[in-house]
Amino acid sequence: MSESNWKEICHIDAIVPNAGRCALVEGEQVAIFRIQKSGNDELYAINNHDPFSKANVLSRGIIGSLSDRVVVASPIYKQHFCLATGECLEDEATQLKTYRVRVENNMVQLSA
């Protein structure tokens, strides 16, 4: 993937640690999560659309871990989605789109 595909989204401080934010990228809502582990930030980005409730709410979900996987629980029906893969833990047939995300010069960047 070329460097030109990265899009600046926001300053890293705009995302509260261990929480998510929603961004509109090329017409799609993307949920971006900032997880702090041992003082370091890990960023994840998945589609913000919850396929079970049909609502754009995942950026407001509850973050946790299940079986060593970092997950977000939908705030509506509570299905868990792996932030690294987009997989729904309760329904293997359901998969969310994931995005590459990074921080450059304190700016969160997303590759759509």
Side-chain angles (χ1 to χ4, degrees), residues 1 5 12 35 52-53 66 70 77 82 86 92 94 97 107:
M1 181 153 301
N5 290 339
I12 186 68
I35 309 299
F52 296 97
S53 67
L66 290 172
V70 180
Y77 296 130
C82 176
E92 294 177 359
T94 302
K97 182 177 179 181
M107 295 298 295

Side-chain angles (χ1 to χ4, degrees), residues 5 41 87:
N5 290 339
D41 285 327
E87 174 188 1

Side-chain angles (χ1 to χ4, degrees), residues 10 12 30 36 38 43 50 54 59 62 66 70 75 77 81 85-86 94 99-100 106 108 110:
C10 63
I12 186 68
V30 179
Q36 285 196 327
S38 303
L43 295 175
D50 176 359
K54 310 291 186 211
S59 63
I62 299 169
L66 290 172
V70 180
Y77 296 130
F81 296 93
T85 66
T94 302
Y99 302 83
R100 292 175 46 190
N106 292 317
V108 175
L110 191 84

Side-chain angles (χ1 to χ4, degrees), residues 38-57:
S38 303
N40 297 317
D41 285 327
E42 292 182 8
L43 295 175
Y44 301 93
I46 61 174
N47 192 293
N48 193 42
H49 186 78
D50 176 359
F52 296 97
S53 67
K54 310 291 186 211
N56 294 313
V57 295

Side-chain angles (χ1 to χ4, degrees), residues 50-54 57-58 60-64 66 71-82 87-91:
D50 176 359
F52 296 97
S53 67
K54 310 291 186 211
V57 295
L58 293 178
R60 296 177 179 222
I62 299 169
I63 298 168
L66 290 172
V71 299
V72 61
S74 169
I76 307 263
Y77 296 130
K78 311 302 184 216
Q79 283 87 1
H80 297 91
F81 296 93
C82 176
E87 174 188 1
C88 176
L89 300 188
E90 289 82 14
D91 182 353

